[in-house]
């Protein structure tokens, strides 16, 4: 059993929907902490209670060396790659863009924007739901929430893909530089015109009692640009895939769109879009009887933990009646996703709005991604069509 | 002994982990996103989940003591 785990390489381009979940299941049985000699050597933790304990203990499991294995110098992101106290200062810069009040006020806009996206998708008779629906939604949200121009966000997907395409340090740094160049145009425009939005607010923000510098502004904007669209892209794609490939699941939702939030939580648990994050130990630590030395890289498999039978009964089944409470899809502890309330709203509204249209079905086989950027899993292509061509009146 | 809950509202950052650990006891104020305890709680029966809520708070804003 353990030998099948030895080859586990989160960066392998060969992962897909049929191999990935099996690997997690083997990992969960193999042991509480497994050592992999790949990528300079790292430990893998997959069980729910161990992953959660590590996420809670941010002093032992530090983020200051980065959240990816291997981590490239110069690719640090605010606030995910920092420990307190700097982490807390940086995090508050992002929460400013995503307060509960602002998310609540955003609901009518989200509803009309998502209706527009789905109406256009339906009018075309379907198509690739990844490109036409899943990507469209978060990119439009970024213009609304941050103040990026539509021209800038239109480049985000392409530039983000460039960063991770070759996986080398050079390509990551080159991709990052291109992204910085893109957001610089918006920064200049905001400095000149000063519209009343988050980006203008950020330009004048203070960190730790001093003015924020341009490197920090870039990092915050890149976090919002990259984290803000890859995660939602994969969440939307995965939800649409689940519905299109399971007619009774879709029928259940259409009978009572009020259950949409349960669909969202169960999708997040079962097919966690942001699958894993790295930490580095600041001291020797015991994980389930196994000693991990100080200074070790550790990969926390949130997606596997969400399928741990010790925590969730029949973990591989999609069951909206279970309690998915406490799933680790948004992380846990001080680095917990800042955008979770926004994501939940977007996904709920998407499902509710979808019920106003005829049922969706798979028009061809979908294509899954590998674990992109060492973290993200979802669909690359999802050809969908509608059961008939006219919207319900 | 009925436990007592102290919430440091200045520290609370609205993570909501306490709601996950003890949904009967805690809620978040929709306007401020700050945690509060539901009327009638805590009770003796809440005991088990309270320690979990205390441990799960990322900013250590919850303290449980015996009255």
């Amino acid at each position: 059993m353990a030998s099948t785990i030895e080859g586990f390489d989160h960066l392998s381009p060969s992962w897909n929907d049929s191999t990935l979940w099996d690997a997690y299941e083997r990992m969960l049985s193999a042991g509480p902490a497994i050592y992999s000699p790949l990528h300079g050597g790292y430990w893998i933790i997959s069980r729910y209670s161990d992953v959660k304990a590590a996420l809670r203990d941010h002093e032992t499991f530090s983020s200051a060396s980065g959240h990816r294995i291997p981590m490239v110098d110069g690719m640090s992101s605010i606030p995910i790659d920092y420990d307190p106290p700097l982490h807390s200062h940086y995090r508050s810069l992002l929460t400013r863009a995503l307060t509960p009040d602002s998310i609540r006020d955003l609901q009518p806009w989200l509803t009309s924007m998502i209706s527009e996206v789905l109406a256009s998708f339906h009018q075309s008779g379907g198509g690739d739901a990844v490109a036409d629906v899943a990507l469209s939604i978060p990119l439009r949200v970024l213009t609304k929430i941050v103040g990026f121009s539509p021209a800038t966000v239109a480049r985000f997907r392409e530039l983000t893909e460039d960063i991770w395409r070759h996986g080398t340090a050079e390509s990551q740094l080159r991709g990052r530089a291109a992204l910085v160049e893109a957001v610089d145009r918006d920064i200049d425009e905001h400095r000149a015109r000063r519209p009343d939005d988050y980006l203008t607010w950020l330009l004048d923000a203070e960190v730790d009692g001093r003015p924020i510098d341009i490197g920090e502004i870039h990092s915050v904007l890149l976090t919002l640009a990259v984290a803000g669209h890859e995660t939602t892209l994969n969440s939307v794609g995965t939800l649409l895939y689940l519905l299109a490939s399971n007619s009774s699941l879709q029928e259940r939702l259409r009978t009572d769109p009020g259950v949409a939030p349960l669909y969202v939580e169960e999708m997040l648990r079962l097919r966690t879009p942001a699958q894993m994050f790295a930490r580095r130990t600041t001291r020797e630590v015991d994980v389930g009887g196994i000693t991990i030395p100080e200074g070790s890289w550790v990969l926390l498999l949130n997606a596997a933990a969400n399928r741990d039978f010790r925590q969730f009964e029949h973990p591989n089944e999609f069951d909206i009646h279970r309690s998915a409470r406490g799933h680790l899809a948004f992380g846990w502890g001080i680095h917990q996703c800042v955008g979770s309330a926004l994501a939940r709203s977007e996904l709920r509204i998407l499902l509710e709005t979808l019920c106003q249209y005829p049922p969706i079905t798979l028009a061809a086989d979908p294509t899954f991604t590998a674990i992109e950027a060492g973290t993200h899993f979802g669909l690359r292509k999802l050809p969908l069509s509608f059961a008939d061509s006219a919207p319900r009146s | 002994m009925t436990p007592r809950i102290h919430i440091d509202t200045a520290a609370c950052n609205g993570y909501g982990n306490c709601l996950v650990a003890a949904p009967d006891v805690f809620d978040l104020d929709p306007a401020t996103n700050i945690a509060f305890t539901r009327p009638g709680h805590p009770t003796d029966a809440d005991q088990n989940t309270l320690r979990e809520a205390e441990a799960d708070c990322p900013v250590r804003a919850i303290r449980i003591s015996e009255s």
Side-chain angles (χ1 to χ4, degrees):
Chain A
M1 191 65 87
S3 61
T4 54
I5 295 303
E6 268 169 32
F8 182 84
D9 178 1
H10 62 293
L11 295 183
S12 163
S14 68
W15 292 116
N16 60 48
D17 195 53
S18 60
T19 55
L20 186 61
W21 310 115
D22 286 350
Y24 289 157
E25 200 163 352
R26 291 200 306 274
M27 193 83 69
L28 285 163
S29 338
I34 295 154
Y35 184 75
S36 166
L38 302 170
H39 309 298
Y42 61 103
W43 294 80
I44 302 166
I45 299 179
S46 61
R47 296 183 181 176
Y48 180 87
S49 60
D50 298 327
V51 172
K52 189 167 165 182
L55 290 169
R56 271 176 180 172
D57 184 1
H58 57 85
E59 287 174 9
T60 304
F61 293 88
S62 164
S63 293
S65 299
H67 69 286
R68 300 183 200 283
I69 297 173
M71 186 67 188
V72 170
D73 278 346
M75 289 296 290
S76 280
S77 302
I78 286 174
I80 192 168
D81 295 323
Y82 291 85
D83 286 338
L86 204 46
H87 164 267
S88 322
H89 297 300
Y90 282 152
R91 187 182 165 97
S92 63
L93 295 177
L94 282 101
T95 51
R96 170 75 188 208
L98 298 155
T99 64
D101 274 350
S102 62
I103 304 305
R104 209 176 9 262
D105 295 346
L106 204 61
Q107 307 277 317
W109 179 83
L110 281 175
T111 304
S112 76
M113 180 273 289
I114 288 170
S115 303
E116 217 174 275
V117 168
L118 286 177
S120 144
F121 189 62
H122 178 247
Q123 206 157 31
S124 317
D128 177 14
V130 171
D132 299 343
V133 180
L135 185 58
S136 239
I137 291 172
L139 291 185
R140 290 181 191 218
V141 167
L142 279 170
T143 61
K144 181 77 176 173
I145 286 206
V146 181
F148 289 128
S149 70
T152 303
V153 297
R155 299 202 65 208
F156 280 165
R157 184 65 206 148
E158 177 199 342
L159 294 177
T160 303
E161 282 180 345
D162 279 352
I163 295 185
W164 312 118
R165 182 162 295 142
H166 305 294
T168 61
E170 294 73 33
S171 83
Q172 289 188 36
L173 292 168
R174 206 171 43 239
R176 189 184 192 281
L179 262 174
V180 165
E181 202 180 299
V183 303
D184 265 343
R185 276 190 283 269
D186 282 344
I187 291 175
D188 290 345
E189 194 265 344
H190 275 72
R191 283 202 165 123
R193 209 168 53 81
R194 300 193 62 82
D196 179 19
D197 62 16
Y198 169 78
L199 211 162
T200 300
W201 174 84
L202 182 67
L203 297 176
D204 302 327
E206 291 198 348
V207 179
D208 201 10
R210 58 163 173 86
I212 189 171
D213 68 40
I214 186 67
E216 290 166 330
I217 292 172
H218 285 150
S219 191
V220 170
L221 292 177
L222 262 52
T223 295
L224 287 165
V226 176
H229 90 258
E230 292 198 312
T231 49
T232 314
L233 166 72
N234 288 322
S235 300
V236 172
T238 299
L239 271 177
L240 295 176
Y241 165 72
L242 283 170
L243 295 178
S245 60
N246 186 332
S247 56
S248 59
L249 207 60
Q250 188 173 173
E251 198 40 53
R252 171 79 181 82
L253 175 70
R254 303 172 77 84
T255 314
D256 177 15
V259 298
L262 302 176
Y263 275 63
V264 172
E265 292 312 307
E266 184 63 345
M267 175 280 291
L268 290 167
R269 182 197 68 80
L270 184 69
R271 306 176 74 94
T272 308
Q275 301 228 313
M276 57 191 74
F277 291 98
R279 297 287 191 271
R280 201 166 179 186
T281 55
T282 57
R283 60 176 84 117
E284 187 180 280
V285 58
D286 177 283
V287 175
I290 292 169
T291 303
I292 298 181
E294 177 184 342
S296 304
W297 280 100
V298 178
L299 192 60
L300 304 174
L301 299 186
N302 300 31
N306 283 340
R307 289 180 172 229
D308 186 349
F309 64 89
R310 300 163 192 86
Q311 181 67 20
F312 300 104
E313 250 179 78
H314 307 296
N316 300 329
E317 289 168 20
F318 187 96
D319 175 9
I320 59 164
H321 299 297
R322 79 166 71 245
S323 172
R325 266 179 191 283
H327 68 68
L328 304 177
F330 290 120
W332 205 263
I334 63 166
H335 288 280
Q336 209 169 117
C337 175
V338 179
S340 59
L342 172 62
R344 283 177 160 130
S345 287
E346 288 175 53
L347 298 172
R348 172 183 56 78
I349 292 170
L350 170 83
L351 292 182
E352 289 168 357
T353 311
L354 197 65
C355 294
Q356 298 165 14
Y357 289 89
I360 48 169
T361 53
L362 288 176
D365 285 341
T367 317
F368 289 86
T369 64
I371 303 173
E372 303 216 301
T375 299
H376 305 290
F377 182 73
L379 290 109
R380 189 180 303 283
K381 261 195 186 329
L382 178 62
L384 294 185
S385 51
F386 289 91
D388 65 41
S389 56
R392 283 180 188 178
S393 53
Chain B
M1 296 287 258
T2 306
R4 287 169 63 93
I5 302 172
H6 175 75
I7 299 176
D8 181 345
T9 51
C12 176
N13 206 357
Y15 285 85
N17 294 5
C18 52
L19 275 75
V20 174
D24 296 337
V25 184
F26 295 97
D27 201 353
L28 286 183
D29 184 315
T32 60
N33 208 34
I34 288 172
F36 66 92
T37 50
R38 293 176 184 276
H41 289 278
T43 66
D44 291 350
D46 298 324
Q47 193 82 253
N48 290 338
T49 55
L50 284 180
R51 292 291 168 191
E52 185 83 359
E54 183 183 37
D56 276 348
C57 179
V59 290
R60 301 276 176 266
I62 294 173
R63 211 179 61 243
I64 309 297
S65 58
E66 305 297 328
S67 60

